[in-house]
Amino acid sequence: MNMKKRICTDEAATLLCDLYAGVIHHCLKKINRYPDHNDYDDFYQLGLITLFDTYETCLKDALVTENSFLFVSYAKQKIHWTFLDQIRKEQKKVSREAYLCEEELEEVPSTTSFEDQFEQADLLQRLCACLTAEENAYLRDALEGLNITEIAKKQRISRKTLYKRRRQIQTKASPFLKA
């Protein structure tokens, strides 16, 4: 539990920026963020916030000269970890958004004619003939609108296994889709 030892006043913040901005730049280089990177300023601001927070929680006062070495080590580690956490959060967000976009595309209602629907039904019937019983069960549940988690619960198998089955079905379906 980090207990705040001191308050970072405006004057202290200015002094911290003057004395320790190099620590932030060092940490930015360590994670390959340079001034031409599109989120460089965001990371720099995050570094400043972490620097100020570190000042408030550090056991020794960073503005006292004899404590500067201890503070630099402490601040460098905290800022670096904060940057890594931020990168992980962004990567999670991007992967979630990509997954959501894929789901949204699957949910777009199609405006197909009777002939197209008949052709799709014929393709589906031929595809099902090539699939295993487990793959057919997955496909049937997916076509009923169940998501991966619901299918996993219903069939009492892991989501990882279902993703594997879905890839197998996609592989088997590709010749039908190219025709």
Side-chain angles (χ1 to χ4, degrees), residues 133-151:
E134 293 85 9
E135 292 167 343
N136 271 310
Y138 166 82
L139 188 58
R140 183 175 45 255
D141 288 341
L143 290 172
E144 288 177 9
L146 298 178
N147 65 31
I148 291 283
T149 305
E150 294 167 335
I151 296 171

Side-chain angles (χ1 to χ4, degrees), residues 100-125:
L100 288 175
C101 290
E102 188 178 300
E103 275 188 349
E104 289 168 356
L105 286 175
E106 291 174 2
E107 292 175 6
V108 173
S110 60
T111 54
T112 54
S113 67
F114 170 75
E115 292 81 9
D116 290 338
Q117 289 176 354
F118 185 74
E119 186 177 322
Q120 288 173 2
D122 180 52
L123 285 174
L124 182 61
Q125 190 174 16

